[in-house]
């Protein structure tokens, strides 16, 4: 087991004489034994980051440490980091058994040790009956497990998984996800898991690192990212259903600062504790963010009333989703499985004022809630 630390890491590719900045100033500390997810849309630099950690790609600048060893100049074999690839990358001319043993054979490991390790991963991943097959005789899910086995048999200090579930169908994805979680619990090795799927990240990770356009935006637990997103991108990327945004303008109502919707009739009176921070911005344009789980049908006090007309009602079993319009703004709210609405109904919801997120419309930075500031203001 080992921690992984990236300090000011950059990756620039030269492609057809053009520079592609794939990773910019990445600073990341993955704790010993932690399950970290690197989450972000396609092309944001996740795979490049993983390939630099494992040693398949040089860093353009910056430092990578495994434990306290600087590994920039170490070959992949000397880093004790294993990576399981999105495409599985199995050797078609070798049996499953030889595919799994490949990294040990390459090191010239004695047969007896090979067999011992093989038994361990085979038991862990329940793949005994696949050993004599060829990769072409395996389903996608089975290939995925063999690819995991081949990485795990090295008994690495750090285990990197790059979108391991992206080629599996939904049912298999859920069961393989559970198996990966279980593997981590059992091995207690440091895992770095790459995905573009926030639900995967939320269900697996101890902490999530959110990237976009080569830049790391925020690292935090699921709760920290949901409740204290640093900016609009993070707020939007994490959470299901997605957060609602309402474009607003700052006005004064009898001396109270109020954010008034540009396209509808929503009016949000800014709580005292956030006033100074918002007024100090000097700007007039803000975005109000409301998570679909936050509004309720009861007014519990210190709330903002949301009155609208139901546009869509989705009956989903465990929870229902109501989408309603407040003039030109559309909001989705999650209600209990026992609450039903008809299209065209007028509805009232109440969102607690301190659950509302406020973003600067220009910089998209979140200025209402920041967990580091929350107590000290
Ligand atoms: P992700 O894994 O998040 O989808 P990648 O790390 O694969 O992102 O890619 C980040 C950016 O770098 C993309 O714009 C991609 O096109 C570019 N890129 C990746 N690998 C190379 C390469 N070998 N040569 C040139 N550009 C690359
Ligand atoms: Mg990738």
């Amino acid at each position: 087991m080992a921690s992984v630390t990236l300090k000011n890491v950059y990756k620039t590719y030269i492609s057809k004489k053009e520079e592609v900045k794939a990773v910019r100033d990445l600073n990341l500390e993955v704790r010993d034994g932690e399950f970290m997810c690197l989450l972000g849309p396609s092309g944001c630099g996740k795979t490049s980051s993983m390939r630099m950690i494992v040693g398949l790609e040089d860093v353009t600048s910056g430092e990578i440490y495994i434990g306290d060893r600087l590994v920039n100049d170490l070959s992949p074999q000397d880093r004790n980091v294993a990576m399981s690839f999105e495409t599985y990358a199995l050797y078609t001319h070798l049996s499953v058994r030889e595919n799994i043993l490949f990294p040990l054979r390459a090191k010239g490991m004695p047969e007896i040790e090979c067999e011992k390790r093989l038994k361990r991963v085979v038991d862990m991943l329940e793949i005994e009956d696949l050993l004599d097959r060829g990769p072409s005789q395996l389903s996608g899910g089975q290939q995925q497990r063999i690819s995991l086995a081949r990485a795990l048999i090295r008994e690495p200090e750090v285990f990197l998984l790059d979108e391991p579930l992206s080629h599996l169908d939904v049912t298999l994805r859920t069961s393989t996800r559970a198996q990966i979680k279980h593997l981590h619990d059992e091995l207690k090795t440091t895992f770095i898991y790459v995905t573009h799927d926030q639900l995967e990240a939320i269900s697996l990770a101890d902490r999530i690192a959110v990237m976009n356009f080569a830049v790391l935006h925020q690292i935090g637990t699921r709760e920290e990212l949901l409740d204290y997103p640093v900016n609009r991108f993070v707020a939007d990327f994490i959470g299901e259903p997605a957060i609602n945004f309402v474009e607003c303008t700052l006005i004064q109502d009898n001396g109270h600062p109020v954010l008034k919707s540009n396209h509808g009739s929503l009016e949000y009176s800014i709580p005292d504790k956030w006033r100074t921070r918002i007024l100090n911005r000097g700007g007039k344009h803000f975005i109000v963010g409301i998570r679909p789980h936050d509004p309720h049908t009861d007014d519990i006090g210190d709330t903002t009333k949301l009155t609208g007309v139901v546009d869509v009602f989705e009956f989903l079993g465990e929870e229902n989703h109501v989408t309603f319009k407040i003039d030109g703004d559309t909001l989705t709210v999650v209600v209990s499985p026992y609450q039903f609405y008809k299209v065209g109904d007028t509805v009232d919801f109440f969102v607690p004022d301190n659950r509302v997120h406020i973003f600067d419309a220009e910089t998209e930075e979140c200025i209402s809630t920041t967990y580091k500031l929350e107590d000290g203001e």
Side-chain angles (χ1 to χ4, degrees):
M1 286 196 288
S3 60
V4 177
T5 309
L6 281 77
K7 288 189 182 164
N8 310 108
V9 169
Y10 286 79
K11 179 71 201 180
T12 306
Y13 298 102
I14 308 292
S15 176
K16 296 182 191 135
K17 296 194 180 156
E18 296 265 319
E19 282 195 351
V20 181
K21 290 190 162 49
V23 178
R24 291 176 198 238
D25 200 18
L26 179 57
N27 286 284
L28 181 67
E29 261 192 87
V30 186
R31 298 169 189 145
D32 194 356
E34 185 170 33
F35 198 129
M36 171 72 81
C37 272
L38 203 53
L39 172 70
S42 178
C44 73
K46 305 181 296 296
T47 297
S48 300
S49 305
M50 291 301 103
R51 290 174 60 85
M52 287 190 284
I53 296 171
V54 79
L56 293 173
E57 202 71 67
D58 288 335
V59 302
T60 305
S61 64
E63 293 171 343
I64 299 182
Y65 294 85
I66 312 285
D68 47 20
R69 281 187 309 157
L70 178 66
V71 298
N72 284 37
D73 297 325
L74 291 188
S75 70
Q77 293 82 343
D78 296 330
R79 294 192 187 195
N80 212 5
V81 175
M83 181 158 166
S84 161
F85 297 89
E86 185 179 347
T87 51
Y88 315 142
L90 299 177
Y91 304 111
T92 47
H93 61 289
L94 295 178
S95 67
V96 164
R97 176 194 303 274
E98 288 307 315
N99 262 285
I100 299 173
L101 285 170
F102 193 84
L104 305 189
R105 299 259 193 254
K107 276 196 209 166
M109 190 171 280
E111 190 60 33
I112 185 153
E113 178 65 15
C114 287
E115 285 304 319
K116 207 168 88 191
R117 289 198 186 189
L118 180 66
K119 180 162 177 11
R120 211 175 300 155
V121 295
V122 162
D123 289 348
M124 214 165 358
L125 290 160
E126 298 170 13
I127 47 178
E128 174 85 65
D129 51 342
L130 304 178
L131 289 179
D132 296 322
R133 294 195 197 169
S136 61
Q137 296 164 297
L138 301 176
S139 70
Q142 289 167 333
Q143 287 186 37
Q144 175 55 38
R145 263 145 66 209
I146 305 312
S147 158
L148 289 176
R150 190 180 52 185
L152 287 172
I153 202 164
R154 294 174 54 190
E155 303 190 352
E157 285 186 298
V158 178
F159 191 30
L160 310 180
L161 297 104
D162 191 358
E163 311 243 9
L165 309 184
S166 58
H167 298 294
L168 305 183
D169 65 43
V170 178
T171 330
L172 206 52
R173 219 180 284 174
T174 313
S175 62
T176 313
R177 194 173 73 195
Q179 200 171 20
I180 288 172
K181 181 84 182 150
H182 185 68
L183 271 180
H184 179 256
D185 291 344
E186 200 163 316
L187 294 167
K188 300 192 167 52
T189 306
T190 310
F191 274 41
I192 310 181
Y193 182 106
V194 165
T195 179
H196 63 272
D197 179 344
Q198 57 113 9
L199 285 178
E200 251 174 53
I202 278 175
S203 66
L204 286 168
D206 294 322
R207 287 189 303 156
I208 302 170
V210 187
M211 285 182 83
N212 193 26
F213 291 126
V215 173
L216 174 68
H217 285 257
Q218 188 170 8
I219 307 175
T221 61
R222 166 183 182 274
E223 290 74 22
E224 282 164 0
L225 297 175
L226 282 170
D227 290 348
Y228 306 103
V230 294
N231 57 30
R232 181 184 172 148
F233 174 76
V234 174
D236 196 23
F237 207 73
I238 306 264
E240 176 72 28
I243 190 168
N244 301 286
F245 291 119
V246 180
E247 289 175 21
C248 290
T249 304
L250 180 65
I251 58 161
Q252 293 291 328
D253 182 8
N254 287 325
H256 294 293
V258 168
L259 293 177
K260 187 176 183 318
S261 161
N262 295 348
H263 310 294
S265 49
L266 183 136
E267 287 195 15
Y268 170 68
S269 177
I270 300 167
D272 289 348
K273 62 173 181 175
W274 296 334
R275 277 186 193 173
T276 321
R277 237 188 276 165
I278 287 174
L279 296 176
N280 281 350
R281 290 261 145 185
K284 286 238 163 299
H285 300 290
F286 294 88
I287 296 163
V288 157
I290 299 173
R291 292 242 177 245
H293 286 87
D294 286 333
H296 298 284
T297 44
D298 304 325
D299 184 2
I300 54 168
D302 294 325
T303 58
T304 295
K305 191 173 178 184
L306 310 168
T307 302
V309 177
V310 175
D311 193 36
V312 179
F313 177 71
E314 291 170 280
F315 176 77
L316 298 172
E318 280 176 38
E319 58 181 37
N320 295 337
H321 296 176
V322 189
T323 299
F324 60 98
K325 279 188 182 291
I326 311 178
D327 308 318
D329 294 312
T330 304
L331 279 83
T332 297
V333 164
V334 173
V335 294
S336 84
Y338 312 106
Q339 282 170 279
F340 300 94
Y341 295 87
K342 283 204 303 290
V343 172
D345 280 356
T346 297
V347 284
D348 286 329
F349 288 103
F350 299 87
V351 59
D353 289 334
N354 63 6
R355 296 292 304 171
V356 170
H357 304 270
I358 308 167
F359 304 87
D360 185 313
E362 210 166 297
T363 64
E364 303 204 333
E365 199 184 334
C366 185
I367 41 185
S368 54
T369 44
T370 306
Y371 68 99
K372 292 194 183 92
L373 290 176
E374 196 66 346
D375 299 326
E377 280 295 307

